[in-house]
Every structure is written in C-alpha cells, then in structure tokens.
Amino acid sequence: MGGAAAVAAALVVVPAPAASADDSLTEIGITQTGDLVAGGGKIFVSGGDRIAVTDPEGTLIGAVTGLSGAEGLAITPDATRLYAALRGSNEVAEIDTGSLTVTRRFDLAEDRCPTHLSLSGDRLWVGYGCAYTTYHIGVAYLDLSAAAPEPVRFRVSPMSDAPLVAAAGNTLVVGETSTSSGNLEVYDLSGSVPVKRGEIPGRFSSYMTGALYDLALTPDGSTVIPAFDYPGQYDAWDTTTLTKVRSYGADEPSGDRDSPTVVAISPDGAQIATSGRFYGKVKLYDTATTAKLYTGRSPAQSVMPGTLAFLGDTVYGVVGFGCPAPQYTCGFRLWRLDRAALPGSTLTMTAPADAVALEPLTVTGRLTLTDGSALAAKPLTVTRRLPDGTSATLPAVTTAEDGAFTFTDIPPVAGTFTYRVLWDGTEDTRWSADSATVAVAKYPTSITLTGPANGTVGVPLEMHGTLDIGPPPAGDDAVVLIHRRIVSDNRARTIVLTTVSPGADGSFTFTDTPAEAGTYTYGAEWKADQATVYAAAKHQLKVTAAG
C-alpha cells in the first residue's frame, strides 16, 4: 500500500522546474490502479497487467508489462529493486528499476491473491487472500536475503480479504479492509517471530471507526496513521502504548472535512499527506505539530486509495476520472503536486468586481512567506483569460520591498475575465498563485450628428458627426452606417445611404444632394461590437424646391 511503501523510498532531491509551478496530469496507460511508490527519480504505478513508470516531471518513460493483477508495490531504500504483488498469478515479482525487467518471481500458490506489500529490512511483508472465499487469508513474509525465499506465515485474526500491511523498525501493523468498522493489529518484530502487542483501537473500546482504506507507519515504526473513512480526521496512534497521540484535520470546519481514504508519510517522517473520498483535496500536515502546511485541489473527484507518495519536495497521486474512490476501474492519470512539501508562500490579489471594456482596471496584491514576511523583488507571471476561453500572458510584474505588486490591464472586450498571478517559487520555497474574476461591461458609446436646418433641391448637404467608442479612438475598421428617410407627397422611403469611417478623433463627414422636396431625416448608427454598446443619432431638416 502506498503510505507504508513510500516510507521505504529513497529521499531524492528533485530540482524545481523552471517553466511553471502548475500541477500536472499525465496519462499513464492504466485502466485499473493498485498502488504507487516513488524512488530513484522514478514514479511507479501498478494497474492490472502493468506497472507504469514516469520521471519526476510526470512524463511516462516506460512500463513493466506482462503482469497479472499487479497490486501492492514496495521499493528498496536504494531504489534499485521494486517488488510487486501479482494477485492474478499468485506471485510476488522482483523488478530491476534500471532495466524495468523482472529478475525473480516468488511463488505464493499456497497464499493466494497477494495484494498488499511492505518492506522492512530484508523482510517483505505480504497481505494475501481472496475476498470472501474459503482460501486462507492472512500475512506472510519473504526473507529477501535468502537465495530462494519461501513465504513464512504467522497467525492473525480471521479476515475476509487481504489485509493492509505496514512494517518499519520493530513494528508491523495489519489492518482489515473489507468491513465497515475495522481494527488494526500491531505486532512486535524484535524477535524471530512476530508477537502481537494488541489492537488499535481496542476491540471493546468506545472509539468508533469506519472502513479502512489506507495506513501509513512512521519510518521508526513508533506511530501509525490509518485512513478510516469515519471519523473525518486522521488519528495518529502510538504503536507501543496503543493510544491515540494526536489528530490531523480534527479542528477543520465540517465543510472542509472529508471521508479519509489515502495517507502517506514523507521518507523523513516530517510530513503526512492525506486525501478523502469526495472533495478531491490533498492536504499536507506537519507530523509533530499537526499544523496544516498545504492544500491542493485535485483536478478529478478522488485520489485513489494507496496512491500518494513523496519524491523529494513533490507529492504524487493517482486520480480517477468518472468514478469516486474506492472504485478501481475508470480513467486514471498521475497527478503531480509540484513542490508541495516545501515551506510555503502566500500570494493574494485583489481585483475590482466590475469593470468596463476599453478602460483601465488595476489589480493589486502581495507575496509573502507563510509567516507573513515579505518576498521582495520576485518576478510574477500574469495571465488573462478572456470570455471565449483563450488566454494570454500579460507583461510580467515584480514585487516591491514589502512584497506588494500592481498591474493595470485594459479589457479589449466585455464578459467575464479571469486574471491569475503566479510566483514560481525557488528551490527552497513553494510556489503560490491566486486568481480573480472580473465582470467587464460594454463601453457606453455615443454618437452625434449635425447639419443644416434647411436645404434646397440640387444643393449638396454636408453632415458632421462624432463617434465615441472609448479609448483608444476608433480605428480604421470602425464603420458608421448612414441611412436617409424622406417623407414627400405623403410617402415615406428609407434607404441605406452610405457607410463612413471616423477619423482618429472619432469625427466623420458625409454629403448628400437631395433630388426632391420633403422632410429629410438622416441617421448615423454604430452597430456595437464585443466591447461597446449600440449608439445612434438623427438629424432632420426641410428640403424645398429651388427658386
């Protein structure tokens, strides 16, 4: 399972990418998911007939194929060997992580459906058993230092599916996953045979738990953190005294709490990562103080159980599309939470709720460390998303000595605009970003039209007008429609007379020579566009016969 196996992963420092701090999704070619571990600069995700392999950027670089029901994974501290539980063929495969080839297979025909793995020293612990069958269900271990390891079983309480296992130090924790209310069994490994210390919570305690989906053990084996889907928090238990010592997320508002399904501990034990069934959030906490350090929103509904792991300062998970956890068959992608484990920064921005197209709007904000101290002289990337969904990068801005920043933009059209400001962070400080939405209204245009009060048949009439469609002034492509209405001999006739293009100052002129007497009404019309509203003006005069 991901939480326990991740503890064994080697701590690899991954350089911060320079291009962007955005989280990434990667198609990894699996339609089922079982586990995720990280080590040696690679991410390994098991799923059905394969194990997908990516680099730290989330790019798919290979796969181990030809497997049968690949489920739990475990990786050696030096990240040279990977172990995979093959539930379909009743084997555990040993894989060279450099060549991505299977080097050994261990037969578990007598311990069918091996599902969950945890590696501690030379012992590889296996939780095995086919759900709701007559086959034996329990835990065994393989001594990997032997030339031909054979599974060694020991007695655990009766269970109805392959149990979760997590081993570290002198502690082994075994958890049942197939019941609506579960307990953890804790074993002492200091001797040659595992000795049961007790259960968490005690079988007759008043502590209520829900179904168990994941568990993580600190690197020294002193504390276990299970993911029971009830209550909506992550409780840490001392594996010696079997008492609860702290909780993560217990003080969060009810609307921000979730049904726990995933938990992982960083290789140094300093942070834990969690996620729940419904809200798609990954949260990082300080292991010792329980302070929340980071929250990332998943681009999908759920992070799948067992699939959170740390690699350097980045956290990786598998997200499911089209199904909520704990289902296991839907679309899956690898999600990279870039530099999530680094000390954080905070970027806040304030934009006006409303603005007008073609008029400047100003956005302000501030960049600080999480303790409130300013981050001065830091370059920020500003992007603008238009109502049609297209995005563009605006001129960069730099924070002042107090961390403040300001930028001004002129919306070219009306509609809903989204502005996003990003600081990409450094090798020792996590990036941060903020966004704001602005409702941009159309510019209130105006048009005027003037001319003589009277006219004579055959004598040209000159009309003058001005169009104001906002800054900048009307361009060469701005067109005013001119129409004329004549009322003569009790008949009314209206035609489009011409079109004119205003000058740089918005002014325009046109001439018409009346051919008959009557009442003339000239109209100038601006048809509006994506940035401006409709505008029209009229001028009326009498035209009489010559002489």
Side-chain angles (χ1 to χ4, degrees):
M1 43 80 61
V7 173
L11 179 59
V12 178
V13 177
V14 182
S20 172
D22 288 329
D23 299 334
S24 67
L25 289 175
T26 302
E27 293 281 0
I28 50 178
I30 62 173
T31 57
Q32 299 177 355
T33 184
D35 202 359
L36 181 153
V37 296
K42 294 175 182 176
I43 316 300
F44 303 90
V45 182
S46 62
D49 66 348
R50 69 190 55 231
I51 298 170
V53 186
T54 80
D55 66 12
E57 298 303 308
T59 303
L60 189 65
I61 58 174
V64 183
T65 58
L67 307 177
S68 179
E71 290 276 351
L73 301 175
I75 193 167
T76 56
D78 63 4
T80 60
R81 288 168 292 149
L82 176 72
Y83 295 92
L86 306 182
R87 188 177 173 95
S89 60
N90 301 315
E91 297 174 300
V92 170
E94 182 183 75
I95 298 164
D96 183 293
T97 58
S99 63
L100 300 183
T101 57
V102 175
T103 55
R104 291 194 293 178
R105 290 177 181 261
F106 309 122
D107 184 13
L108 274 77
E110 299 301 317
D111 307 300
R112 301 189 63 178
C113 301
T115 304
H116 303 292
L117 300 180
S118 183
L119 180 63
S120 180
D122 288 327
R123 287 185 175 182
L124 179 66
W125 298 91
V126 183
Y128 64 87
C130 308
Y132 305 107
T133 70
T134 58
Y135 297 117
H136 181 62
I137 293 173
V139 178
Y141 70 85
L142 295 166
D143 182 356
L144 299 176
S145 64
E150 293 289 337
V152 178
R153 303 185 205 95
F154 69 97
R155 186 178 182 83
V156 298
S157 297
M159 299 182 184
S160 54
D161 200 356
L164 290 171
V165 290
N170 288 324
T171 299
L172 169 70
V173 180
V174 178
E176 185 172 11
T177 62
S178 58
T179 62
S180 59
S181 181
N183 285 302
L184 306 177
E185 297 185 354
V186 182
Y187 293 85
D188 189 295
L189 302 180
S190 57
S192 59
V193 178
V195 176
K196 187 174 181 179
R197 294 177 188 161
E199 297 181 357
I200 296 174
R203 191 169 295 276
F204 301 105
S205 77
S206 60
Y207 184 84
M208 299 296 293
T209 64
L212 176 67
Y213 288 105
D214 203 358
L215 60 89
L217 193 59
T218 54
D220 62 0
S222 65
T223 308
V224 63
I225 305 169
F228 290 112
D229 70 354
Y230 178 86
Q233 63 194 43
Y234 296 80
D235 295 325
W237 299 80
D238 187 296
T239 57
T240 300
T241 64
L242 308 183
T243 57
K244 185 171 70 172
V245 292
R246 67 185 71 90
S247 296
Y248 305 91
D251 57 351
E252 295 180 358
S254 58
D256 201 36
R257 299 175 74 176
D258 204 348
S259 296
T261 53
V262 197
V263 60
I265 298 179
S266 61
D268 61 2
Q271 297 181 13
I272 73 165
T274 68
S275 190
R277 183 195 300 266
F278 300 112
Y279 300 151
K281 293 180 179 178
V282 169
K283 301 174 184 179
L284 269 64
Y285 298 91
D286 183 284
T287 305
T289 68
T290 75
K292 185 163 66 174
L293 306 174
Y294 171 84
T295 299
R297 181 86 183 186
S298 167
Q301 183 173 356
S302 304
V303 178
M304 306 309 292
T307 67
L308 276 182
F310 291 79
L311 183 64
D313 53 43
T314 297
V315 175
Y316 300 83
V318 175
V319 292
F321 286 78
C323 66
Q327 288 177 280
Y328 292 92
T329 303
C330 56
F332 297 104
R333 297 177 188 174
L334 179 68
W335 180 31
R336 176 173 59 89
L337 290 82
D338 184 43
R339 290 168 280 174
L342 286 176
S345 61
T346 301
L347 190 151
T348 58
M349 59 182 291
T350 302
D354 304 293
V356 176
L358 308 180
E359 290 189 345
L361 67 85
T362 299
V363 176
T364 60
R366 193 163 183 258
L367 177 65
T368 63
L369 294 172
T370 51
D371 63 4
S373 57
L375 285 167
K378 302 301 181 186
L380 307 179
T381 301
V382 181
T383 57
R384 178 186 68 189
R385 184 180 177 88
L386 296 177
D388 64 1
T390 59
S391 296
T393 300
L394 302 182
V397 297
T398 302
T399 58
E401 287 300 314
D402 62 353
F405 65 88
T406 300
F407 69 88
T408 299
D409 183 44
I410 299 177
V413 296
T416 300
F417 280 61
T418 300
Y419 292 92
R420 184 172 188 262
V421 179
L422 164 72
W423 178 56
D424 204 37
T426 63
E427 291 185 357
D428 55 9
T429 305
R430 187 175 65 245
W431 64 274
S432 57
D434 197 11
S435 59
T437 300
V438 181
V440 178
K442 286 191 172 186
Y443 184 86
T445 61
S446 64
I447 192 169
T448 63
L449 184 62
T450 61
N454 299 288
T456 303
V457 173
V459 178
L461 300 171
E462 187 172 85
M463 305 289 173
H464 301 274
T466 302
L467 173 65
D468 177 9
I469 55 172
D476 294 339
D477 57 345
V479 173
V480 175
L481 181 68
I482 306 298
H483 49 80
R484 180 188 67 192
R485 185 172 187 266
I486 304 172
V487 178
S488 176
D489 298 328
N490 295 321
R491 291 187 308 125
R493 303 177 305 282
T494 301
I495 64 168
V496 174
L497 186 63
T498 187
T499 58
V500 294
S501 296
D505 60 355
S507 64
F508 60 89
T509 301
F510 67 91
T511 301
D512 182 41
T513 302
E516 60 182 298
T519 301
Y520 282 61
T521 302
Y522 292 93
E525 189 176 21
W526 168 250
K527 288 289 191 179
D529 57 19
Q530 292 181 305
T532 61
V533 299
Y534 172 87
K538 293 181 180 180
H539 177 70
Q540 190 177 85
L541 70 152
K542 291 283 188 178
V543 174
T544 58

